[in-house]
Amino acid sequence: MPTSSSPPKPTAEHGTGGGAGVGGLYEEEGWVWGQIKAEARRDAESEPALASYLYSTILSHPSLERSISFHLGNKLCSSTLLSTLLYDLFLNAFSSDRALLSATVADLRAARERDPACVSYSHCLLNYKGFLACQAHRVAHRLWQQSRRPLALALQSRIADVFAVDIHPAARIGKGILFDHATGVVVGETAVIGNNVSILHHVTLGGTGKVGGDRHPKIGDGVLIGAGATILGNVRIGEGAKIGAGSVVLIDVPPRTTAVGNPARLVGGKEKPSKHEDVPGESMDHTSFISEWSDYII
């Protein structure tokens, strides 16, 4: 397997934002899995106290899907929900649905490339609860679609207990997702999150409490949602938009704009809001709007 420091370059059939061709998926999965195993061997040699742990979670497994299934099974098991049962459940899902594994690889890449605190792919796989919660949710969502709803809801409950991330199994989530820190993230039943989205801790994608049916936010591709932001109702956050930390959003936000405050307002004003060229969900630029928005001085 390739273990070079540079990932394979995306092609028309190979990328994190859209459908990947089978060849592209296997190439990218193979490269990432090769990196994870190389990192685990390095860490086991440099820190013998972790050698047994790294062997059981990564080095003893022949594939990424087996490794992550084993790790999630052990993380989410309880006295009545056995790790062996969960391992079989996760492995069946990842092995039979290549889209799940493609999303997992894209999420690993997202954490490694966007988060400066992410020192390796293996660190993300083993220790990033936002990443782990998202992968477990993907399996819960698959169960929900298969009308195995009691099991999907039981899995949601365990994810919330263990990772402090509460995502309804009916919520739809794209790929290339970064839940950074992730503590306190809540995503409602009819929420939709696009591709290459970054969401920080204590973000709520919730309902207003007054209506049923389709009642949760729709988050476009490339959106960045800052820590503590609350987005309520069936509102649309346009592609490439940025939601500032602590903002409360109750109406649609246009693409490529920045909304900040409580209640949230568009930087540059409602009539001619300022537009940015970058994709904030990938650039992780939280503060470039400050000079346009505020004269706040310390």
Side-chain angles (χ1 to χ4, degrees):
M1 291 181 190
T3 56
S4 64
S5 59
S6 298
K9 294 180 179 179
T11 66
E13 294 185 347
H14 174 199
T16 60
V22 173
L25 169 59
Y26 283 121
E27 178 188 358
E28 186 169 26
E29 177 198 332
W31 184 88
V32 169
W33 179 235
Q35 290 293 301
I36 290 170
K37 297 200 81 167
E39 293 162 358
R41 291 189 193 97
R42 177 201 65 200
D43 292 343
E45 291 172 1
S46 65
E47 186 51 79
L50 290 176
S52 178
Y53 171 63
L54 291 168
Y55 179 80
S56 65
T57 53
I58 293 175
L59 295 174
S60 65
H61 300 284
S63 63
L64 177 58
E65 57 263 40
R66 288 186 177 273
S67 174
I68 194 169
S69 297
F70 176 86
H71 191 45
L72 284 173
N74 279 284
K75 282 282 188 180
L76 295 172
C77 68
S78 69
S79 59
T80 53
L81 197 60
L82 301 182
S83 61
T84 50
L85 182 151
L86 290 174
Y87 172 76
D88 289 341
L89 180 70
F90 287 124
L91 183 59
N92 176 265
F94 285 114
S95 299
S96 60
D97 188 346
R98 301 305 298 183
L100 285 183
L101 199 61
S102 173
T104 297
V105 170
D107 294 350
L108 282 165
R109 295 275 293 266
R112 186 71 180 96
E113 292 166 10
R114 297 178 209 163
D115 184 0
C118 185
V119 297
S120 66
Y121 291 102
S122 59
H123 172 50
C124 177
L125 174 66
L126 296 177
N127 304 322
Y128 267 41
K129 67 180 184 179
F131 167 79
L132 293 169
C134 188
Q135 308 324 304
H137 162 75
R138 296 188 192 285
V139 176
H141 180 67
R142 186 171 185 267
L143 293 170
W144 187 267
Q145 291 180 310
Q146 294 172 340
S147 297
R148 300 175 69 184
R149 296 186 174 184
L151 182 55
L153 291 167
L155 191 54
Q156 175 199 0
S157 177
R158 285 301 296 161
I159 295 166
D161 288 345
V162 173
F163 299 126
V165 176
D166 195 348
I167 308 174
H168 193 283
R172 291 182 285 152
I173 298 180
K175 56 197 293 189
I177 304 300
L178 173 62
F179 287 121
D180 195 358
H181 299 287
T183 300
V185 166
V186 176
V187 180
E189 178 181 8
T190 61
V192 178
I193 299 173
N195 298 318
N196 302 316
V197 172
S198 293
I199 297 175
L200 275 82
H201 50 287
H202 290 292
V203 165
T204 297
L205 306 181
T208 63
K210 292 185 176 181
V211 295
D214 192 0
R215 61 195 184 279
H216 295 104
K218 310 299 180 282
I219 310 300
D221 294 348
V223 168
L224 172 62
I225 306 178
T230 299
I231 306 173
L232 299 178
N234 187 13
V235 299
R236 183 167 298 278
I237 309 301
E239 179 177 338
K242 185 189 304 185
I243 310 299
S247 299
V248 176
V249 179
L250 303 174
I251 60 176
D252 292 356
V253 174
R256 302 281 178 175
T257 62
T258 300
V260 295
N262 180 6
R265 295 175 173 83
L266 295 177
V267 173
K270 182 178 180 181
E271 300 305 320
K272 291 189 66 175
S274 301
K275 297 283 185 98
H276 45 258
E277 297 300 323
D278 69 325
V279 180
E282 298 178 4
S283 70
M284 303 296 289
D285 180 1
H286 290 268
T287 59
S288 61
F289 64 88
I290 290 294
S291 60
E292 301 175 56
W293 176 251
S294 174
D295 59 359
Y296 176 65
I297 298 174
I298 297 177

